[in-house]
């Protein structure tokens, strides 16, 4: 039986997507060739790329004037590419420091210019989203992380911003409605809500590029990839194909609006149990709790062995917390069925009755 997969990433993908993807490895499009042994310039793959890009545009209602790219190097490469492409020579940018990933983005920006940190939640091991800061208008851009995968915090509102707005949406893209027109650049590693690791989605407003005064290396220049439709070099064909299938699955389900409701139900179910059951406590500030990554601790450490045995026997996998937070982290990305969340909640209940 398939396990209840609460892994933080790479993570659960829809079963129907995995089945179609495995079929395409052997025989793609009934052409008696594998998806991964045909040219990326062949008509069938060009169709995959076009469809993946148009599904992103449709599902997120991306306005005209933006390009959708499938790049490589992970979200970590975007930490650098964002600064390379948007920070002027000797320029500065404003960042929120809301976790380990945000911090890595700050490090990259500091390698090219100055990253000013506006909101910093490191004082409480990143268990809240900083608020109330003012973004200066003289910075080249503002960068934030919408969902902090390790600590289970999520920005519920985005600050108003008179400069360029950049967001790392790696762990909550496609999980809720966002107004893309408020952002100038959004990026996300595929391996949460979109597909397997190996490609990174970048949505960028074309007109913001080319203004840094910097000579950008070819592969790090967004314009290189825009001008070639994400085909400047060989793209990661399999991750892009699986992403296309996952986005198709999401569209058939009713799109982002529909999944947002389901994600809210899953979050209400699990947080409800954490708050009700005296054996558990959440680690993130209530108002900043993530609907994707739910971090919690046992209030009585003597129950740890019993709980670990119980969830393991229930077929639950991947709920060990990140080493910097400890305890448990149940990640409930789009493909996680509510039934699996119910199994976890039942297990928590059973521990209380034990
Ligand atoms: N940003 C966030 C919010 C993440 O959760 C992660 C890791 N999953 C990254 C960036 C880094 O992504 P990658 O491993 O694709 O470089």
């Amino acid at each position: 039986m398939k396990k209840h997969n609460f892994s933080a990433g790479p993570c659960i993908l829809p079963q129907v997507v995995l089945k179609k993807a495995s079929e395409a490895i052997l025989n793609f499009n009934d052409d008696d060739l594998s998806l991964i042994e045909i040219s990326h310039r062949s008509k069938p793959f060009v169709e995959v790329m076009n469809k993946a890009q148009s599904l992103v545009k449709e599902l997120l209602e991306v306005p005209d004037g933006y390009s959708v790219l499938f790049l490589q190097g992970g979200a970590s490469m975007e930490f650098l590419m964002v600064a390379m492409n948007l920070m002027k020579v000797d320029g500065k940018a404003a960042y929120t420091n809301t976790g380990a990933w945000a911090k890595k983005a700050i490090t990259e920006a500091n390698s090219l210019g100055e990253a000013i940190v506006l909101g910093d939640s490191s004082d409480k091991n990143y268990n809240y989203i900083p608020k109330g800061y003012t973004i200066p208008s003289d910075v080249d851009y503002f960068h934030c992380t919408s969902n902090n995968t390790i600590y289970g915090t999520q920005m519920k509102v985005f600050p108003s911003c008179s400069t360029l707005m950049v967001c790392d949406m790696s762990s909550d893209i496609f999980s809720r409605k966002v107004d893309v027109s408020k952002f100038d650049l959004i990026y996300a590693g595929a391996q949460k809500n979109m597909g397997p690791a190996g490609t990174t989605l970048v949505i960028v407003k074309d007109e913001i590029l080319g203004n840094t005064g910097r000579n950008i290396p070819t592969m790090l220049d967004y314009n290189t990839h825009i001008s070639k439709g994400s085909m400047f070099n060989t793209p990661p064909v399999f991750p892009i194909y699986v992403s296309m299938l996952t986005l198709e699955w999401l569209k058939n389900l009713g799109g982002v609006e529909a999944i947002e409701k389901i994600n809210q139900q899953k979050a209400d179910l699990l947080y409800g149990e954490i708050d009700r059951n005296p054996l558990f406590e959440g680690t993130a500030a209530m108002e900043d709790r993530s609907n994707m990554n739910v971090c919690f601790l046992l209030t009585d450490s003597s129950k740890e062995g019993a709980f670990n045995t119980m969830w393991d026997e229930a077929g639950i996998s991947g709920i060990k917390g990140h080493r910097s937070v400890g305890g448990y982290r149940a990640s409930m990305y789009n493909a996680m069925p509510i039934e699996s969340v119910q199994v976890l909640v039942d297990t928590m209940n059973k521990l209380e009755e034990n």
Side-chain angles (χ1 to χ4, degrees):
M1 205 190 79
K2 175 92 181 179
K3 289 201 169 162
H4 304 288
N5 182 6
F6 288 90
S7 171
C11 61
I12 187 165
L13 286 172
Q15 200 61 20
V16 24
V17 166
L18 295 179
K19 186 163 181 298
K20 277 194 199 157
S22 64
E23 284 162 9
I25 289 287
L26 291 173
N27 182 2
F28 178 53
N29 262 357
D30 275 334
D31 279 342
D32 293 319
L33 288 168
S34 169
L35 168 80
I36 57 171
E37 60 180 7
I38 59 170
S39 166
H40 59 291
R41 311 245 175 239
S42 65
K43 194 165 168 275
F45 186 75
V46 170
E47 278 170 11
V48 168
M49 178 63 99
N50 291 341
K51 190 154 185 208
Q53 287 169 339
S54 72
L55 279 164
V56 170
K57 286 187 179 163
E58 188 182 339
L59 286 164
L60 295 179
E61 296 175 39
V62 178
D64 289 344
Y66 286 75
S67 292
V68 171
L69 303 173
F70 290 95
L71 304 182
Q72 297 181 68
S76 300
M77 182 66 98
E78 298 317 308
F79 299 159
L80 174 64
M81 281 179 79
V82 162
M84 273 269 171
N85 284 266
L86 301 183
M87 192 185 260
K88 298 203 167 68
V89 172
D90 297 325
K92 54 186 178 185
Y95 278 71
T96 52
N97 180 18
T98 54
W101 300 113
K103 210 168 158 193
K104 285 183 173 162
I106 291 167
T107 302
E108 296 307 307
N110 273 326
S111 74
L112 294 179
E114 187 192 351
I116 302 163
V117 177
L118 293 180
D120 188 338
S121 51
S122 59
D123 57 333
K124 291 191 176 165
N125 197 27
Y126 300 116
N127 75 352
Y128 69 100
I129 298 286
K131 298 165 200 87
Y133 48 82
T134 306
I135 303 165
S137 53
D138 66 339
V139 292
D140 296 327
Y141 61 90
F142 166 71
H143 178 285
C144 58
T145 311
S146 58
N147 186 77
N148 298 283
T149 326
I150 296 174
Y151 316 88
T153 61
Q154 187 172 32
M155 293 176 79
K156 304 294 173 183
V157 285
F158 292 94
S160 54
C161 180
S162 60
T163 180
L164 302 183
M165 176 106 165
V166 178
C167 189
D168 174 1
M169 292 194 189
S170 290
S171 52
D172 67 353
I173 196 155
F174 299 112
S175 74
R176 58 172 172 168
K177 277 198 94 110
V178 285
D179 181 355
V180 173
S181 71
K182 290 220 165 100
F183 298 87
D184 296 280
L185 193 151
I186 292 169
Y187 63 90
Q191 64 270 21
K192 270 78 168 175
N193 278 329
M194 198 170 79
T199 191
T200 316
L201 175 66
V202 175
I203 303 169
V204 56
K205 198 176 200 174
D206 300 329
E207 68 181 30
I208 69 168
L209 299 172
N211 302 319
T212 60
R214 169 180 295 110
N215 191 7
I216 305 173
T218 311
M219 278 294 284
L220 298 181
D221 189 341
Y222 289 125
N223 272 327
T224 301
H225 302 285
I226 292 172
S227 68
K228 300 288 181 191
S230 283
M231 295 262 207
F232 172 73
N233 68 324
T234 316
V237 292
F238 186 68
I240 293 171
Y241 177 65
V242 183
S243 298
M244 185 211 83
L245 292 177
T246 310
L247 297 177
E248 224 169 29
W249 166 85
L250 180 57
K251 185 182 165 182
N252 291 336
L253 206 115
V256 172
E257 211 173 321
I259 204 75
E260 181 169 12
K261 288 199 186 104
I262 299 169
N263 287 333
Q264 191 59 50
Q265 287 165 1
K266 290 185 284 184
D268 290 346
L269 180 60
L270 185 51
Y271 284 120
E273 177 62 15
I274 289 168
D275 293 340
R276 185 209 62 76
N277 190 327
L279 291 180
F280 295 97
E281 63 181 347
T283 60
M286 288 263 190
E287 75 271 20
D288 303 324
R289 282 174 161 181
S290 165
N291 282 7
M292 295 286 99
N293 314 98
V294 179
C295 297
F296 57 98
L297 304 171
L298 272 168
T299 51
D300 176 355
S301 59
S302 73
K303 303 268 187 194
E304 194 178 329
F307 185 52
N308 291 349
T309 305
M310 282 165 73
W311 59 254
D312 188 43
E313 284 175 356
I316 287 168
S317 157
I319 64 161
K320 194 169 175 295
H322 189 274
R323 61 191 174 281
S324 59
V325 180
Y328 301 92
R329 171 175 50 167
S331 298
M332 309 189 297
Y333 295 111
N334 285 355
M336 161 72 57
I338 195 157
E339 290 77 14
S340 290
V341 182
Q342 188 64 55
V343 170
L344 174 57
V345 166
D346 291 346
T347 308
M348 293 162 81
N349 242 300
K350 236 167 85 185
L351 184 71
E352 191 188 12
E353 287 159 13
N354 222 12

